[in-house]
Amino acid sequence: MKNLDTAKKIIEKALNSDDTYLNRLTGISNTLKKLLEGYIPEGFIEDIKDLDTLPPKKKRAFLNYLIKAVDEAREREKNKKLQKTHEEFYSLEDLRRLDIEDLKILKNIEKKAFRKIGLNNIEKVFFLPPKKYEDRRFKKLGKVKDGEYGLFEVEVLNVRKIKKRKLKTHIIAKQGFQFLDIYFVHDKPFLFTFFRKGKKVLIYGRISTYRNKKSMIQPEMFTEYDPVIHDRIVPVYSLKGDSTVKITSQTINHLRRGIFKILKKFLKFYPEYLPKEIIKKYKFPGIHNSIKNLHFPESSESIEHLNNFEAPFQKRLIFDDLFILQLAQILRKNLLLNEPSEEINIEDTLLEKFKESLPFELTEDQIKVIKEIFSDLKKKTPMNRLVQGDVGSGKTVVATASALAVALDGKQVAVMAPTEILANQHFNTFYNILKKFKIIPVLLTGSLSQREKKKIYRLIENGDVKVVIGTHALIQDQVKFKNLSLVIVDEQHRFGVVQRKALIEKSNKLPHTLIMTATPIPRTLQIANFGDLDVSTIKTLPKGRKKVETVLLFDDERENLYKKIKEEIKKGRQIFVVYPLVEESEKIDLKSAEEGYNHWKEKFPECSVLLLHGKMPQEEKDKIMLSFREGKGDILVSTTVIEVGVDIPNASVMVIEEAHRFGLSQIHQLRGRIGRGKYEGYCYMILPERFKYPLDDREEEKKRQSTVERLKILVRTTDGFKIAEEDLKLRGGGDIVGTAQSGKITFGIADLSRELDRNILEKARVEAEKITENDPFLNNNKLLRKIVLERYGDRFDIAGIG
Ligand code: ADP
Ligand code: MG
């Protein structure tokens, strides 16, 4: 080992000196030969003999080659030593338990990089997904194309200060007979020490070619070669995370080195958890190979392939992500199926009687869904059903039918709405229908007096009240049910899984659950996010629904819009104006709504304009919505806080300001709020005037074009499902379901905005179903179960299995 270290020092010294010195350097052949014999391949030793006589360039090239061999030999020796001292072994549990902070193999600065991104265990490091890859392989100047990135070893010919627009320093360098102009936009002194005339330097950057001249702006510079980050495709990780930990331009390299060391030491102990049959069927690479490649891909992979996430190891890891999620959902489903629940006795004639009690005819889809729910309720196992349908498709009636069935059988129902105003609205709907069946629901919200609440608590506890409609007030500890058998949750994306659970836990047996959402969820997302639920869909809208005419226009075309609005207001209609919610900053949100408010007040001085924004307390928002519903106010200016589901039949125009900042599904939901009454509805999506003029930046321009194209989809179609599919492609799905608060599924490497990943999801679903068919709790696949529970045990409340 000592020999190797000495040899390395000698070679390094030689490499760091200039050509004149190298030329004069003789006598190292013998020294190196003696030091290295027995450590490196014999052929290599033979070549060393001629080293002294080589011209400097060849000498340097050979030494560069040699030092890699020496490094490899040192690595081998180290490993041998380790194995001799003690045979190490780490179990899966060890890998989860070991704290990064305690690892002796890491430097403090590397630990700090892990702290930055909040990684503390080795298993998580294995699966840390790079957001992209960079090609940092050595490239030849003579062979690179315009726009290509690479690592270059060049010799500095000249360095000087210049003043050419923003450019301040110019370096001329060469590699063989190829020249390169390097520019910096500053002239800090370290540039002049780094780029000394005659010195060979390592730089990484993007080549631009113009009239046969190659140049590079602001390359990264390296004083020494490091095999972990040089001459390979390197991963780029997101460094978002703990904002108290400062980062530098080197943090990413510390992270790379840290990960490299961790993989080297621990990866071999990580167990292959994927069943052999699946690996074979899909010809997946093994887990070690996959994880190693995830961070340090083999040079044979093309950078495009990698950045499209379609290399074989990437496909496998994407599959793993989705497969594990599917297993978690199926485990949850199976667990629920094992729990007994209240069987509901439903008279065969109930549906007919229900229909007769309504002032309108149910749509075919409503009937279909009610039947599905009834058949679920009759079972001994708990229902877990999601009802999805566009705004205005009539989900509340369906919920009412379900509540009726349960209440008539003497059991209790809880209906949870996200806001007081919605709870009120539901209460009215439920009340009007249920009273015909002599069932009187109660409303429980936070704004009731303590005395009223107590009275209601008593009624719920002794079972006198069968149907309770309310807000979060329903999950207070004081609320105790006698025999809660059905939980209905409206607009589920506003509720956390936690709240849902809290309500479910108020029952001795597992209650049936019905979740209603106005956001159509594309099949892929259904599988991904709600794989543990059965899904019913209401597609047809009730008869007589007016179509909402949707128009896309530019800021400077507003006069027509104002004319239209004036006409509508004259007819007694009401207008919604919605500004985008700027989530990063509530202040901006407030400002944009307030500015908008002033603008509309100015434009419509004779009208009454109301303002609603996210900073207001819920009570105030409810009050404003209510007074608007009662017709007080012609125009309601708001940020996107306006409640989904509030019925304002008199509103006929929806203006979406800065439409490009909204998701398609979001706009679709907003426009669903109008055209609900007897009147035609109009939706105007407004784009800034600057959208008329193309941008210089081609990438940005392309993005912008596609945003506009997508908005046009809203003009063409009112099919919420088509729209949601498009949104999914555009935004990857998280926003569609809006599950941020309700435990949105975050993947490691999978990303459902990619078509490939969506296809893989289908396969993952099939395989997960297959494997759990005969092994519902993965008792015969304990390792796989461990992996699933580690990731989703808490989230899906399945940690107790096994
Ligand atoms: P959402 O699906 O958005 O929750 P609602 O249940 O609030 O829709 O229904 C919207 C409106 O349509 C309500 O006023 C409701 O009474 C009415 N409605 C529901 N079903 C029908 C139907 N089959 N025919 C006519 N009107 C209906
Ligand atoms: Mg609703």
Side-chain angles (χ1 to χ4, degrees):
M1 192 69 180
K2 219 168 147 197
N3 280 1
L4 289 172
D5 289 346
T6 319
K8 185 176 162 92
K9 272 187 203 133
I10 293 173
I11 300 170
E12 267 169 351
K13 186 162 174 240
L15 281 173
N16 282 334
S17 39
D18 59 25
D19 285 359
T20 349
Y21 179 84
L22 261 190
N23 202 18
R24 275 188 276 133
L25 181 68
T26 52
I28 68 170
S29 298
N30 256 332
T31 322
L32 285 177
K33 208 178 127 218
K34 272 194 197 128
L35 288 171
L36 295 176
E37 242 157 1
Y39 287 110
I40 63 172
E42 272 186 35
F44 231 139
I45 298 284
E46 282 302 308
D47 290 343
I48 295 182
K49 279 185 194 155
D50 306 326
L51 184 59
D52 281 350
T53 55
L54 292 176
K57 261 192 211 84
K58 287 209 170 140
K59 207 181 249 177
R60 190 181 295 280
F62 184 80
L63 287 173
N64 266 323
Y65 200 31
L66 188 59
I67 198 162
K68 278 188 206 165
V70 172
D71 278 329
E72 274 169 24
R74 291 173 74 226
E75 218 40 69
R76 273 197 302 276
E77 287 305 308
K78 253 192 243 163
N79 282 342
K80 260 193 224 160
K81 223 165 124 190
L82 266 181
Q83 274 166 16
K84 261 183 221 155
T85 42
H86 56 101
E87 281 294 331
E88 277 185 301
F89 178 79
Y90 296 94
S91 67
L92 177 58
E93 283 72 21
D94 292 335
L95 296 178
R96 286 173 178 175
R97 210 186 41 228
L98 273 178
D99 192 334
I100 301 274
E101 292 290 333
D102 297 336
L103 294 185
K104 296 208 174 61
I105 50 170
L106 297 185
K107 293 182 187 163
N108 274 333
I109 197 142
E110 288 158 359
K111 290 178 184 172
K112 190 175 163 193
F114 284 108
R115 268 204 303 282
K116 171 76 201 174
I117 56 173
L119 274 192
N120 54 16
N121 101 32
I122 291 173
E123 189 181 28
K124 287 194 182 131
V125 171
F126 289 164
F127 290 96
L128 175 72
K131 57 179 182 189
K132 62 171 186 174
Y133 296 89
E134 281 174 3
D135 190 350
R136 295 193 172 216
R137 286 175 288 197
F138 271 124
K139 299 272 169 74
K140 289 278 169 248
L141 266 185
K143 286 191 181 154
V144 284
K145 291 188 269 310
D146 184 38
E148 198 174 328
Y149 284 84
L151 185 68
F152 299 88
E153 192 189 33
V154 294
E155 184 184 333
V156 180
L157 294 178
N158 192 19
V159 47
R160 63 190 178 113
K161 296 192 184 195
I162 54 164
K163 262 208 174 110
K164 203 166 137 192
R165 275 177 287 169
K166 281 185 188 157
L167 306 176
K168 294 237 178 88
T169 306
H170 177 201
I171 294 128
I172 303 176
K174 70 164 190 157
Q175 187 186 65
F177 296 108
Q178 296 283 329
F179 293 89
L180 177 68
D181 291 305
I182 305 168
Y183 296 101
F184 285 85
V185 296
H186 64 84
D187 53 7
K188 301 227 174 81
F190 72 83
L191 282 184
F192 297 86
T193 40
F194 184 86
F195 291 103
R196 267 201 329 270
K197 250 185 234 183
K199 196 173 138 192
K200 289 223 165 160
V201 296
L202 271 185
I203 52 172
Y204 167 81
R206 179 178 184 269
I207 292 283
S208 316
T209 319
Y210 182 69
R211 291 204 179 137
N212 256 337
K213 282 189 77 165
K214 293 198 168 66
S215 64
M216 191 183 276
I217 292 185
Q218 307 260 92
E220 279 179 47
M221 301 130 62
F222 302 95
T223 42
E224 60 182 39
Y225 175 83
D226 174 349
V228 175
I229 58 171
H230 291 147
D231 199 17
R232 61 162 81 234
I233 293 173
V234 299
V236 180
Y237 306 96
S238 162
L239 290 179
K240 281 190 204 139
D242 187 346
S243 58
T244 63
V245 183
K246 293 275 166 291
I247 54 172
T248 69
S249 64
Q250 287 309 302
T251 302
I252 183 100
N253 285 331
H254 297 314
L255 194 60
R256 287 170 183 146
R257 292 192 190 101
I259 291 175
F260 193 83
K261 290 185 203 169
I262 286 176
L263 294 186
K264 187 145 211 161
K265 184 169 166 74
F266 296 108
L267 183 56
K268 55 178 170 289
F269 301 110
Y270 196 64
E272 173 61 81
Y273 50 80
L274 216 52
K276 278 195 196 74
E277 308 79 63
I278 292 183
I279 294 187
K280 226 170 119 189
K281 177 168 172 189
Y282 294 99
K283 299 196 178 68
F284 282 145
I287 190 65
H288 296 164
N289 200 331
S290 300
I291 292 175
K292 193 206 146 274
N293 272 286
L294 177 67
H295 302 281
F296 298 98
E298 258 132 52
S299 258
S300 53
E301 289 295 348
S302 87
I303 188 84
E304 289 79 24
H305 231 84
L306 289 168
N307 279 329
N308 288 335
F309 288 80
E310 55 193 22
F313 75 89
Q314 288 169 318
K315 284 190 199 160
R316 145 139 204 193
L317 293 173
I318 290 167
F319 177 91
D320 288 16
D321 259 2
L322 300 168
F323 180 60
I324 288 165
L325 172 66
Q326 290 314 306
L327 285 175
Q329 287 172 334
I330 292 172
L331 285 189
R332 176 172 169 79
K333 196 168 180 173
N334 290 345
L335 201 63
L336 292 180
L337 286 178
N338 250 14
E339 299 268 334
S341 72
E342 208 67 68
E343 265 172 89
I344 309 296
N345 238 319
I346 305 176
E347 268 182 50
D348 292 340
T349 52
L350 183 60
L351 183 55
E352 282 314 310
K353 283 186 196 157
F354 182 72
K355 280 190 206 162
E356 279 161 26
S357 76
L358 297 174
F360 47 72
E361 232 175 88
L362 286 178
T363 63
E364 248 173 62
D365 281 355
Q366 281 172 320
I367 294 172
K368 178 197 76 184
V369 175
I370 292 175
K371 281 184 180 162
E372 282 168 349
I373 294 171
F374 280 7
S375 111
D376 282 354
L377 291 174
K378 287 179 189 163
K379 287 184 194 152
K380 284 195 188 73
T381 53
M383 166 171 80
N384 247 306
R385 188 168 286 279
L386 176 83
V387 174
Q388 55 172 346
D390 263 350
V391 177
S393 60
K395 296 181 291 288
T396 319
V397 188
V398 170
T400 314
S402 325
L404 176 65
V406 174
L408 284 178
D409 195 30
K411 292 163 186 126
Q412 288 178 304
V413 184
V415 183
M416 194 149 79
T419 64
E420 212 153 285
I421 185 166
L422 275 175
N424 262 298
Q425 187 175 298
H426 284 336
F427 177 77
N428 288 330
T429 311
F430 276 74
Y431 180 85
N432 287 330
I433 299 175
L434 295 182
K435 72 176 178 203
K436 295 177 189 155
F437 296 88
K438 307 220 160 42
I439 295 199
I440 306 301
V442 297
L443 179 66
L444 179 63
T445 60
S447 63
L448 294 180
S449 75
Q450 212 48 42
R451 247 189 57 212
E452 289 170 307
K453 275 187 200 159
K454 281 215 175 105
K455 199 176 124 202
I456 294 178
Y457 292 158
R458 249 198 327 275
L459 291 172
I460 298 174
E461 193 164 358
N462 64 26
D464 284 346
V465 151
K466 300 292 179 234
V467 180
V468 191
I469 294 152
T471 54
H472 290 85
L474 277 180
I475 54 175
Q476 302 298 312
D477 282 341
Q478 297 98 309
V479 185
K480 297 190 179 67
F481 288 87
K482 185 165 179 232
N483 57 359
L484 178 62
S485 302
L486 170 64
V487 171
I488 300 175
V489 183
D490 190 23
E491 308 299 356
Q492 93 104 32
H493 55 288
R494 303 281 302 270
F495 270 122
V497 170
V498 183
Q499 283 103 322
R500 221 163 83 199
K501 240 169 73 184
L503 198 47
I504 288 172
E505 277 158 10
K506 289 192 177 293
S507 172
N508 313 331
K509 288 185 179 178
L510 214 55
H512 301 282
T513 8
L514 184 64
I515 297 169
M516 295 184 289
T517 171
T519 323
I521 304 162
R523 191 184 134 69
T524 353
L525 278 189
Q526 260 175 48
I527 304 177
N529 289 1
F530 302 105
D532 59 331
L533 302 175
D534 296 313
V535 179
S536 295
T537 304
I538 306 182
K539 271 206 159 162
T540 46
L541 290 183
K543 263 187 235 144
R545 269 301 134 73
K546 298 288 187 294
K547 216 186 133 209
V548 177
E549 195 182 319
T550 302
V551 180
L552 187 61
L553 49 83
F554 290 104
D555 225 355
D556 58 342
E557 302 163 341
R558 301 174 77 110
E559 284 310 318
N560 286 336
L561 168 65
Y562 294 145
K563 227 173 78 195
K564 177 80 195 164
I565 289 179
K566 281 200 178 112
E567 281 168 21
E568 287 293 303
I569 291 179
K570 212 181 260 164
K571 282 193 240 162
R573 301 293 91 77
Q574 289 169 292
I575 318 295
F576 282 112
V577 180
V578 184
Y579 283 85
L581 181 72
V582 185
E583 276 185 38
E584 305 91 76
S585 160
E586 284 188 43
K587 267 190 208 138
I588 301 179
D589 167 30
L590 182 61
K591 189 168 150 256
S592 82
E594 265 176 357
E595 269 173 17
Y597 172 63
N598 290 331
H599 168 86
W600 285 86
K601 260 199 331 202
E602 239 168 68
K603 283 279 161 200
F604 294 85
E606 68 286 1
C607 295
S608 135
V609 184
L610 304 180
L611 172 66
L612 187 79
H613 61 76
K615 275 246 155 166
M616 291 174 172
Q618 188 62 44
E619 269 168 54
E620 202 178 334
K621 287 190 228 166
D622 281 0
K623 227 166 73 195
I624 293 171
M625 273 316 262
L626 274 179
S627 62
F628 193 63
R629 181 161 77 183
E630 283 158 17
K632 295 177 197 147
D634 304 304
I635 300 176
L636 178 69
V637 175
S638 76
T639 45
T640 36
V641 293
I642 50 174
E643 304 304 343
V644 180
V646 176
D647 230 356
I648 303 190
N650 192 42
S652 67
V653 179
M654 171 72 59
V655 180
I656 313 275
E657 299 274 7
E658 309 218 25
H660 60 292
R661 300 229 248 132
F662 286 81
L664 298 187
S665 293
Q666 230 177 342
I667 297 182
H668 181 61
Q669 280 205 17
L670 287 169
R671 73 175 169 183
R673 205 97 11 112
I674 51 172
R676 279 181 153 208
K678 309 184 269 296
Y679 318 112
E680 302 283 337
Y682 305 90
C683 174
Y684 296 91
M685 303 183 285
I686 304 187
L687 285 174
E689 201 185 333
R690 62 186 150 84
F691 268 63
K692 282 183 170 175
Y693 312 107
L695 293 167
D696 284 343
D697 186 328
R698 238 185 289 160
E699 282 296 304
E700 285 302 311
E701 176 61 20
K702 234 169 82 186
K703 262 195 225 158
R704 193 191 251 188
Q705 287 301 334
S706 93
T707 306
V708 175
E709 281 311 307
R710 280 170 207 277
L711 286 173
K712 286 184 186 160
I713 293 170
L714 288 168
V715 177
R716 284 197 301 269
T717 179
T718 50
D719 181 341
F721 281 87
K722 236 186 233 160
I723 291 163
E725 289 281 354
E726 289 301 323
D727 232 3
L728 172 64
K729 284 179 204 160
L730 185 65
R731 290 141 69 100
D735 293 319
I736 297 179
V737 204
T739 39
Q741 308 106 302
S742 55
K744 173 184 160 193
I745 307 295
T746 42
F747 297 112
I749 170 171
D751 172 356
L752 293 176
S753 68
R754 292 187 295 246
E755 193 178 341
L756 179 68
D757 295 26
R758 292 200 290 275
N759 294 338
I760 294 177
L761 175 64
E762 300 279 345
K763 295 196 180 95
R765 178 75 191 180
V766 170
E767 296 302 336
E769 273 167 0
K770 210 191 272 172
I771 196 168
T772 46
E773 198 171 34
N774 298 317
D775 187 12
F777 298 106
L778 295 178
N779 284 322
N780 303 327
N781 285 280
K782 291 213 167 64
L783 177 57
L784 195 52
R785 189 170 70 193
K786 265 192 205 170
I787 301 280
V788 174
L789 294 189
E790 168 76 7
R791 256 189 242 178
Y792 294 110
D794 289 336
R795 168 102 48 98
F796 283 87
D797 205 16
I798 49 177
I801 298 182

